[in-house]
């Protein structure tokens, strides 16, 4: 007899009661399961701790995550190192910051410094990453030979063209400059002209990027700037004096020079809308084509959340921290005209930025947790976990033609007598519309058993239940894993349960001893692909 069967005291158990010895209490007081070390590490790397959760603030979640990470490094530093590389290099996370912090902690707490040093360039790919890593090292207690050596190697491994570009594009971040890091790490073999430029010493202007930068600093007009950009196409927008960055022609030239890729392409859309560049229909067409360039998306590791956050900002406006927008948060201000071509491209780019997915071909019930706890910020951006979950649900629906999408909170809340509601989301719903539908339904207590109970009561045949939740369930009379087993018994269908966790905690409603239940990291660019493989039985 399995441990699971030994531990079951009742056929069904209220969620606030322990029914098995391997259950732990979540932040809301419900009993759930603990995720594996690797899963929790992936949650930290992909979800981070920005904003905390509804039940635990950011400081508490961060403290727990750091202790967990430190203990895991001491227990299995190879697992930590390999997982950091896999998540960061495959662009699975919206932000690289958690991976950089974990890398800094590996240098501080790990024993195999050489192995950690060997992965440094894979994680710290840009100057911004290196500066952020340097600040983490400062916060963790300072520098040693291996840490300084990793910084020195980062510089010496760059070609002259790459190094001069980095020196111009990223001159200062997080209170650090290249000059600071040169003096700290003493890289050997750097081109003298570039080295002198970084250190602020006299130098000959033979390097084309440095020459172009210095010419731009002396530019007296937009005409001068355009002339320099047309001569030197390798100059980034950061090299241009601020007073010229309001000109539409400057930005168009930068775009056609190939200087707007990845996050720079996404982040500057509102700026281009404001300065009128996107009013040029042909330019908007070309910009939209770049937003949906699959090779560019892969190369720059653009994450779906980049598109998600931008489409809301571009379509609805920037968040006004001083303006109250009612029950659901801050007001948004918008002083530009949107282009439908750009909106369509952002919607299409969002789907493209997920890894290629082969449909499972299974009957799929997608349950989106719309309880009050899901109102917490997702990934430190100006969208809630519930809103982003709505977009994820739509993405899964596009993969699985046989699907239904419903939101759940708990029975008896306002108009939701059953706790279930049709969110009105389909595979063709736009991103902003899907998130708005979820936002308007976001309140109430949490009961993650409801999708299975609802399907059983209404004789809905389901092969795979997909529950998108923060796992802070507590308000049901039945545990979610028990509800799935009852569904199986009633229907004769060996249904599976895929749990997409959307917060960086150690909780899951998936029974670790049941091979038909699996825990996933929500907002992972790999999630739809792995989920489809799990549903189809390919893994």
């Amino acid at each position: 007899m399995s441990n699971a069967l030994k531990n079951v005291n009742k056929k069904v158990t209220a969620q606030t009661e322990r029914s098995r010895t391997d259950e732990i209490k979540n932040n809301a007081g419900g009993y759930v399961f603990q995720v594996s070390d690797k899963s929790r590490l992936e949650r930290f790397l992909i979800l981070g701790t920005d904003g905390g959760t509804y039940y635990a603030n950011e400081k508490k979640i961060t403290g727990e995550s750091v202790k967990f990470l430190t203990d895991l490094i001491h227990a299995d530093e190879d697992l930590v190192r390999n997982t950091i590389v896999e998540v960061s290099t495959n662009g699975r996370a919206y932000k690289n910051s958690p991976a950089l912090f974990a890398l800094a902690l590996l240098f501080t707490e790990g024993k195999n410094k050489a192995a950690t040093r060997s992965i440094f360039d894979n994680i710290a790919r840009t100057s911004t990453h290196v500066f952020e890593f340097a600040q983490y090292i400062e916060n963790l207690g300072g520098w040693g030979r291996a840490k300084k050596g990793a910084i020195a190697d980062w510089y010496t491994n760059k070609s002259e063209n790459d190094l001069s570009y980095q020196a111009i594009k990223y001159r200062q971040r997080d209170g650090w400059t290249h000059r600071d890091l040169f003096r700290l790490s003493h890289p050997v073999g750097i081109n003298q002209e570039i080295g002198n430029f970084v250190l602020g010493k006299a130098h000959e202007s033979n390097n084309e990027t440095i020459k172009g930068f210095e010419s731009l600093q002396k530019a007296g007009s937009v005409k001068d700037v355009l002339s320099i950009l047309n001569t030197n196409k390798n100059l980034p927008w950061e090299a241009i004096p601020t007073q010229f960055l309001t000109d539409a022609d400057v930005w168009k030239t930068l775009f056609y020079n190939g200087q707007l890729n990845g996050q720079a392409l996404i982040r500057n859309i509102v700026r281009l809308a404001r300065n009128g560049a996107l009013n040029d229909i042909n330019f908007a067409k070309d910009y939209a084509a770049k937003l949906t360039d699959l090779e560019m998306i892969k190369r720059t590791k653009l994450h779906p959340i980049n598109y998600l956050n931008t489409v809301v900002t571009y379509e609805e406006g920037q968040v006004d921290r001083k303006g109250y927008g009612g029950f659901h948060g801050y007001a948004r201000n918008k002083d530009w005209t949107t282009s439908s071509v750009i909106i369509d491209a952002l919607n299409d780019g969002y789907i493209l930025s997920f890894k290629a997915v082969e449909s499972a071909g299974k009957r799929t019930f997608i349950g989106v947790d719309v309880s009050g706890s899901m109102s917490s910020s997702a990934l430190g951006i100006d969208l809630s976990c519930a809103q982003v979950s709505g977009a994820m649900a739509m993405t899964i629906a596009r993969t699985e033609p046989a699907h239904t999408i419903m939101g759940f909170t708990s029975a008896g809340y306002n108009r939701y007598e059953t706790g279930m509601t049709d969110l009105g989301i389909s595979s063709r719903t736009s991103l902003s519309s899907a998130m708005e539908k979820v936002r308007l339904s976001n309140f109430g207590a949490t009961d993650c058993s409801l999708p299975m109970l609802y399907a059983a009561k209404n004789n809905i045949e389901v092969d795979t239940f997909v529950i998108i939740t923060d796992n802070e369930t507590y308000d049901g009379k039945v545990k979610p894993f028990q509800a799935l087993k009852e569904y199986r018994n009633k229907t004769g269908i060996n249904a599976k349960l895929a749990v997409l966790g959307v917060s960086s905690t150690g909780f899951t409603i998936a029974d670790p001893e049941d091979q038909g239940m699996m825990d996933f990291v929500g907002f992972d660019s790999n999630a739809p692909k792995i989920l489809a493989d799990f549903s189809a039985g390919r893994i």
Side-chain angles (χ1 to χ4, degrees):
M1 184 179 290
S2 71
N3 290 332
L5 292 176
K6 288 179 182 178
N7 289 331
V8 173
N9 298 320
K10 301 178 183 178
K11 187 176 181 181
V12 297
T13 317
Q15 292 175 21
T16 53
E17 298 177 13
R18 173 176 273 137
S19 60
R20 286 172 36 170
T21 58
D22 59 345
E23 289 180 323
I24 61 173
K25 186 180 288 189
N26 62 26
N27 291 313
Y31 281 93
V32 290
F33 299 104
Q34 187 167 5
V35 297
S36 69
D37 287 345
K38 188 174 189 296
S39 292
R40 183 161 185 190
L41 175 58
E42 289 177 329
R43 283 191 184 183
F44 172 77
L45 295 173
I46 294 169
L47 302 175
T49 60
D50 289 352
T53 70
Y54 186 84
Y55 295 103
N57 62 30
E58 181 177 327
K59 183 177 180 180
K60 179 178 185 290
I61 294 293
T62 300
E64 291 173 352
S65 296
V66 171
K67 183 182 185 305
F68 160 77
L69 186 55
T70 301
D71 291 344
L72 188 56
I73 289 171
H74 294 162
D76 192 348
E77 83 177 78
D78 283 341
L79 171 66
V80 176
R81 192 162 31 245
N82 294 337
T83 306
I84 292 171
V85 172
E86 199 279 325
V87 169
S88 181
T89 58
N90 286 311
R92 293 175 60 188
Y94 169 56
K95 294 180 180 179
N96 201 36
S97 296
L100 291 167
F101 175 80
L103 180 65
L105 200 60
L106 260 176
F107 269 107
T108 303
E109 299 289 339
K111 294 180 179 179
N112 195 339
K113 309 295 185 185
T116 301
R117 186 168 167 176
S118 72
I119 68 170
F120 183 83
D121 287 13
N122 293 326
I123 312 303
R125 295 180 291 272
T126 69
S127 299
T128 295
H129 295 160
V130 177
F131 294 148
E132 186 174 352
F133 170 83
Q135 189 55 48
Y136 288 140
I137 292 297
E138 286 282 308
N139 295 341
L140 290 170
W143 297 85
R145 181 182 299 176
K147 301 164 191 174
K148 292 179 181 178
I151 298 289
D153 289 346
W154 189 87
Y155 284 110
T156 57
N157 289 340
K158 294 279 183 293
S159 68
E160 290 184 10
N161 285 339
D162 286 345
L163 184 55
S164 59
Y165 185 83
Q166 291 286 323
I168 297 301
K169 183 175 178 64
Y170 307 100
R171 298 197 294 283
Q172 179 175 308
R173 295 287 195 284
D174 295 319
W176 289 86
T177 66
H178 289 292
R179 181 183 182 186
D180 297 330
L181 292 180
F182 264 45
R183 289 180 166 180
L184 178 75
S185 65
H186 304 290
V188 177
I190 300 294
N191 173 279
Q192 187 174 5
E193 181 189 346
I194 300 174
N196 286 338
F197 171 76
V198 167
L199 292 170
K201 297 180 179 179
H203 57 276
E204 295 181 7
S205 294
N206 294 319
N207 180 280
E208 289 300 317
T209 304
I210 293 175
K211 283 170 61 177
F213 168 74
E214 292 174 338
S215 296
L216 281 173
Q217 300 309 297
K218 300 173 185 176
S221 65
V222 168
K223 183 178 180 181
D224 292 340
V225 171
L226 293 175
S227 176
I228 296 166
L229 292 179
N230 285 324
T231 301
N232 190 333
K233 300 183 184 299
N234 196 43
L235 292 169
W237 71 267
E238 292 89 345
I240 300 171
T242 305
Q243 65 266 31
F244 301 119
L245 289 176
T246 58
D247 188 87
D249 289 333
V250 167
W251 284 96
K252 290 179 186 179
T253 303
L254 285 166
F255 173 79
Y256 289 118
N257 282 355
Q259 292 303 316
L260 298 182
N261 292 288
Q263 293 195 26
L265 185 75
I266 293 280
R267 288 176 175 173
N268 284 299
I269 287 177
V270 168
R271 186 198 296 260
L272 294 175
R274 278 199 171 113
N275 68 27
L278 295 177
N279 292 338
D280 180 333
I281 296 175
N282 279 328
F283 177 70
K285 170 184 69 70
D286 294 341
Y287 208 90
K290 191 69 171 286
L291 287 168
T292 54
D293 181 343
L294 184 57
E295 289 306 311
M296 183 276 300
I297 293 171
K298 291 179 178 178
R299 185 178 69 255
T300 61
K301 306 184 193 308
L302 269 180
H303 192 274
I305 302 297
N306 290 117
Y307 286 93
L308 197 62
N309 201 29
T310 300
V311 74
V312 173
T313 301
Y314 179 60
E315 197 165 4
E316 299 181 13
Q318 293 176 315
V319 168
D320 178 5
R321 303 291 175 191
K322 298 179 182 179
Y324 183 59
F327 178 76
H328 292 287
Y330 295 106
R332 288 180 179 267
N333 294 329
K334 181 180 176 185
D335 57 0
W336 60 86
T337 301
T338 53
S339 162
S340 59
V341 172
I342 298 298
I343 291 174
D344 287 346
L346 288 169
N347 276 274
D348 292 343
Y350 170 79
I351 299 299
L352 289 170
S353 59
F354 285 104
K355 307 299 184 288
V357 184
E358 179 185 352
S359 173
K362 299 295 183 179
R363 296 165 295 188
T364 305
F365 189 116
I366 306 166
V368 182
D369 184 348
V370 294
S371 63
S373 64
M374 292 285 284
S375 62
S376 297
S377 170
L379 303 159
I381 59 178
D382 292 316
L383 297 173
S384 69
C385 288
Q387 286 177 286
V388 181
S389 296
M392 284 289 291
M394 182 202 69
T395 304
I396 297 167
R398 290 194 178 191
T399 301
E400 302 303 336
H403 71 266
T404 186
I405 300 174
M406 296 195 76
F408 66 88
T409 173
S410 68
Y413 271 83
N414 290 357
R415 64 185 183 279
Y416 306 140
E417 293 182 3
T418 64
M420 304 294 294
T421 181
D422 179 0
L423 295 172
I425 298 173
S426 75
S427 62
R428 296 185 181 183
T429 303
S430 69
L431 290 173
S432 57
S433 178
M435 288 186 287
E436 179 66 6
K437 289 174 185 292
V438 172
R439 183 180 72 85
L440 294 175
S441 301
N442 185 207
F443 58 85
T446 312
D447 180 1
C448 290
S449 69
L450 287 177
M452 284 73 76
L453 297 176
Y454 179 86
K457 181 178 180 181
N458 292 280
N459 299 313
I460 302 173
E461 296 182 345
V462 177
D463 297 308
T464 302
F465 290 92
V466 179
I467 307 295
I468 310 176
T469 179
D470 58 7
N471 291 288
E472 300 285 13
T473 189
Y474 69 94
D475 200 47
K477 297 179 181 179
V478 182
K479 301 281 181 67
F481 78 94
Q482 295 170 339
L484 178 65
K485 290 176 180 179
E486 291 212 330
Y487 177 84
R488 291 169 176 169
N489 290 335
K490 177 180 179 180
T491 63
I493 301 171
N494 192 25
K496 295 182 176 182
L497 172 63
V499 182
L500 271 67
V502 300
S503 61
S504 189
T505 62
F507 311 126
T508 179
I509 61 171
D511 181 351
E513 296 196 7
D514 188 326
Q515 293 185 348
M517 302 187 202
M518 187 170 178
D519 185 73
F520 297 80
V521 182
F523 316 151
D524 177 354
S525 62
N526 271 350
K529 180 181 186 303
I530 303 173
L531 193 156
D533 289 344
F534 166 71
S535 180
R538 295 189 286 263
I539 58 173

